[in-house]
Amino acid sequence: MHRTGRTRRTFVAGAAAAAGSAALPAGQAAAAPRGPRAGRTVAVLGGGVAGLTAAHELAERGFAVTVLEKKGLGGKARSMDVPDSARGGRKPLPGEHGFRFIPGFYRNLPDTLRRIPFPGNRNGCHDNLVASTEVMLARTGREDIRLPFSTLGTPPGPLSPDDLLRTVTGLLVTAANLPAHEVAYFANRVLVFFTSCDKRRLDDWERTSWWSFLRAARMSADYQQLLAIGITRNIVATKAEVASTRTVANCFEAFFFNMLGRASDGEPDRVLNAPTNEAWIDPWVAHLRSLGVRFEVGATVLDLPYADGRVTGAVVRDADGTRRTVTADHYVCAMPVEHARTVWGRALRAADPQLGRADRLETDWMTGIQFYLTEPTPVIHGHINHLDSPWSLTSVGQAQFWKGRNFPADYGDGQVRDCLSVDISEWSRPGVLYGRTAKQCTREEVAREVWAQLKAALNDTGRTVLRDSALHSWFLDPAVDGIGTPEPRNDDQLLIHPTGTWFNRPTARTAVPNLFLAGDYVAVDIDLATMEGANAAARQAVNALLDASGSTAPRCAVTPLYRAPEFDALKRHDEFRYGLGLPNLFDLG
């Protein structure tokens, strides 16, 4: 990797996404090719899940990799130390952008976790995943819905359309007190999507909002809150009224079959057994260093100059303000889309129009806040969806899953015994305490407002779950800045998925032969802003780079979302009907 002086302005892109079939055995690196290393240096721009995945796959295949990261390795997935929280030789309290959620339908990220060594674990960091056993739909002013949450035992045999309808109906009757005709209608919509051909999914359902697909406007408030709004706004920080049906239903389909025990990596809801950096990111970085990966933290990428059909360098600014240019044979742009597109100059965009289309991709705020408590307050052994909270909160009590980590002994000032981690998905709706949106509140007001909304949902059924006297302190992601002023900012936003988003997603391969794209905004099968999407996109970028460099190393395996094979015949029939302009066979309108 070479450094040069000042830089030219402009930038380009290039690479591909061939979903290879061969994967390296767990923990085994490919032998570095003999001879000179010309053409085998790579600059990975961004050290989040996408960047670290790309570095991992490339280093195992003998490439010399340098990762440039602006803030902290792990990106939005990392945990971070709460400033000035440690006393008496203890570790600082662990804060985070938002809690980690690694469902069993993920297939690519778990493979990476298995290949990261961890002391005492046969399956590396993957053995640090633990399953929750229940979920709560917390209703404000109403009885909460508390449900066991795990796979449903022995995977069922072949499913017929009637079997599918009965299964979905049974789950909903158990989970929610909805009118029978609304349960039946939702089950029918699930069947319609599951039996829709790819052309209909892309041409029709990608352009149809989840709200419209479910006919939510005609249904009860509970139907809207549970099945339309709850699935989208509280989980993926996008609005049911505009979210693409294809995006939401693709993940619902994978999640549904995960619950049935099909093609799953594990239980539907899993978390880590320690703060993220301890359980995953730090061991990952250590392993990558052992493979020869270099890290430059504090390097902000400013520009990707472009000349003679190639990216000629990455202009960066170091933490001390020094500007320099990092050069390599290949560049993997693994920055979040809202940052990546700021360094795609005019010449680079001219070289590949898909970079310009990425300007249309939308982001929103979904940011975490942690409340540290002086008494154990697990609430339930799993996640809580606060369905009626104005700010669309989801939460989880974390200390119960952090086995072997003792809060009073190991963290903070010796008084903290639990960490309630909360994600805020709605930042533009008035709250209950101040009547202002989260963006209009100061950091302190956001903390008080979220605490009030949590208590409203959990302390309303005759039992005091959250006590003011137990609140020790709180930590709001520092990426959020300027709230309570006319110019609120969030440096770590989340890609959202309004209708038509897929058509603006770029591929990992660009028209520039030494530039490759990796990130959860890249076109991958999961089609959702997730760690799984970032991991899959990085694998596609590496495969494209291997093709461009002429490497004979094994290609990365890229595993698609599961689809039930017994519906293949119905999908072929639907493709015939779609060609004739007819609706899906099961579509009741």
Side-chain angles (χ1 to χ4, degrees):
M1 191 82 43
H2 307 286
R3 300 177 184 177
T4 62
R6 287 288 275 194
T7 121
R8 292 178 289 265
R9 299 191 55 84
T10 48
F11 156 57
V12 178
S21 58
L24 295 175
Q28 178 178 326
R34 298 174 182 268
R37 300 183 64 81
R40 302 188 67 82
T41 61
V42 184
V44 175
L45 315 179
V49 171
L52 295 181
T53 300
H56 192 160
E57 300 294 346
L58 288 165
E60 285 190 340
R61 289 161 175 81
F63 285 79
V65 182
T66 295
V67 176
L68 308 175
E69 165 57 32
K70 179 173 68 172
K71 291 192 291 188
L73 297 174
K76 286 180 283 190
R78 76 190 190 283
S79 53
M80 56 194 92
D81 294 342
V82 177
D84 304 319
S85 63
R87 299 287 187 278
R90 299 179 184 85
K91 301 176 185 178
L93 292 171
E96 57 195 354
H97 169 76
F99 55 71
R100 304 273 63 77
F101 166 59
I102 305 176
F105 71 81
Y106 285 8
R107 311 284 292 286
N108 297 293
L109 182 66
D111 170 70
T112 297
L113 290 171
R114 286 187 175 89
R115 290 157 48 206
I116 303 170
F118 192 91
N121 288 1
R122 180 178 181 182
N123 297 303
C125 287
H126 189 279
D127 284 349
N128 291 336
L129 293 177
V130 291
S132 73
T133 58
E134 53 186 344
V135 64
M136 176 183 286
L137 307 178
R139 306 305 305 268
T140 301
R142 301 170 57 179
E143 192 65 37
D144 300 329
I145 304 171
R146 184 169 177 169
L147 299 167
F149 196 51
S150 62
T151 54
L152 303 179
T154 304
L159 285 173
S160 68
D162 184 62
D163 292 331
L164 178 65
L165 290 172
R166 289 175 181 273
T167 301
V168 175
T169 300
L171 289 172
L172 289 180
V173 167
T174 300
N177 186 25
L178 293 171
H181 73 279
E182 293 187 349
V183 170
Y185 188 77
F186 180 83
N188 171 262
R189 302 313 286 168
V190 170
L191 179 61
V192 167
F193 186 84
F194 284 14
T195 58
S196 288
C197 64
D198 288 341
K199 289 183 178 180
R200 192 185 299 277
R201 291 186 182 201
L202 187 60
D203 294 342
D204 285 359
W205 304 143
E206 173 62 26
R207 293 182 168 92
T208 302
S209 73
W210 182 242
W211 184 269
S212 297
F213 181 76
L214 296 184
R215 307 294 190 269
R218 307 178 187 175
M219 303 298 183
S220 68
D222 279 348
Y223 179 98
Q224 296 171 355
Q225 200 69 18
L226 290 170
L227 302 180
I229 295 173
I231 290 177
T232 55
R233 183 173 299 162
N234 291 72
I235 297 174
V236 297
T238 192
K239 296 175 173 59
E241 295 84 352
V242 299
S244 157
T245 291
R246 180 179 178 272
T247 296
V248 175
N250 269 345
C251 286
F252 179 86
E253 181 177 25
F255 194 78
F256 176 81
F257 285 110
N258 181 193
M259 291 186 64
L260 296 185
R262 288 200 179 186
S264 66
D265 180 73
E267 291 296 315
D269 184 4
R270 299 178 299 182
V271 297
L272 291 164
N273 65 358
T276 310
N277 275 27
E278 295 182 34
W280 175 21
I281 302 300
D282 289 347
W284 200 5
V285 171
H287 179 56
L288 296 184
R289 290 187 193 277
S290 75
L291 295 177
V293 176
R294 294 179 60 250
F295 296 97
E296 298 186 9
V297 179
T300 300
V301 180
L302 303 176
D303 189 23
L304 290 176
Y306 172 73
D308 300 324
R310 300 175 67 83
V311 171
T312 61
V315 180
V316 303
R317 182 181 62 240
D318 291 327
D320 63 2
T322 302
R323 287 170 63 102
R324 58 189 172 91
T325 298
V326 176
T327 61
D329 298 310
H330 310 281
Y331 301 85
V332 177
C333 187
M335 302 156 63
V337 67
E338 67 271 21
H339 299 303
R341 57 195 177 197
T342 66
V343 304
W344 296 340
R346 183 177 300 176
L348 190 57
R349 290 163 179 262
D352 192 342
Q354 68 173 341
L355 300 179
R357 290 196 300 272
D359 287 340
R360 303 171 193 166
L361 296 173
E362 298 181 31
T363 60
D364 203 348
W365 291 32
M366 185 177 185
T367 304
I369 182 171
Q370 289 77 54
F371 294 97
Y372 304 101
L373 309 174
T374 58
E375 60 187 30
T377 313
V379 187
I380 65 163
H381 192 255
H383 288 87
I384 306 169
N385 191 330
H386 301 264
L387 284 174
D388 302 314
S389 57
W391 289 1
S392 297
L393 308 178
T394 47
S395 66
V396 62
Q398 293 184 313
Q400 62 186 318
F401 297 105
W402 292 348
K403 303 304 181 185
R405 273 78 178 177
N406 186 296
F407 250 123
D410 296 343
Y411 299 94
D413 60 3
Q415 299 181 44
V416 173
R417 294 178 177 272
D418 210 339
C419 173
L420 183 62
S421 188
V422 185
D423 278 353
I424 308 169
S425 299
E426 176 57 75
W427 285 75
S428 300
R429 182 184 294 178
V432 299
L433 199 59
Y434 298 104
R436 298 198 297 271
T437 70
K439 293 179 182 179
Q440 294 171 332
C441 292
T442 65
R443 298 177 71 85
E444 291 74 16
E445 289 170 342
V446 166
R448 296 190 194 103
E449 178 72 55
V450 172
W451 184 251
Q453 291 186 30
L454 293 173
K455 290 195 299 181
L458 298 175
N459 292 359
D460 61 340
T461 53
R463 184 169 66 100
T464 301
V465 177
L466 299 180
R467 306 174 190 276
D468 291 340
S469 59
L471 181 56
H472 175 276
S473 56
W474 52 269
F475 177 79
L476 177 63
D477 185 356
V480 172
D481 191 21
I483 54 176
T485 76
E487 297 183 359
R489 299 176 299 279
N490 187 342
D491 196 49
D492 287 330
Q493 298 192 34
L494 180 74
L495 180 73
I496 59 172
H497 310 272
T499 56
T501 293
W502 175 261
F503 304 108
N504 298 319
R505 282 175 170 263
T507 60
R509 178 183 294 278
T510 73
V512 181
N514 69 334
L515 177 67
F516 311 87
L517 306 182
D520 59 13
Y521 66 95
V522 173
V524 291
D525 190 60
I526 192 171
D527 188 26
L528 187 69
T530 58
M531 296 183 294
E532 173 77 351
N535 184 278
R539 290 165 179 250
Q540 291 184 169
V542 169
N543 286 343
L545 191 155
L546 296 175
D547 290 344
S549 66
S551 173
T552 58
R555 271 39 181 177
C556 307
V558 185
T559 305
L561 294 173
Y562 176 79
R563 295 186 182 181
E566 51 264 59
F567 294 142
D568 287 349
L570 288 168
K571 290 176 186 174
R572 290 192 295 270
H573 180 67
D574 187 61
E575 187 171 7
F576 175 74
R577 292 178 62 88
Y578 188 71
L580 297 176
L582 298 173
N584 181 276
L585 178 66
F586 301 102
D587 199 336
L588 303 177

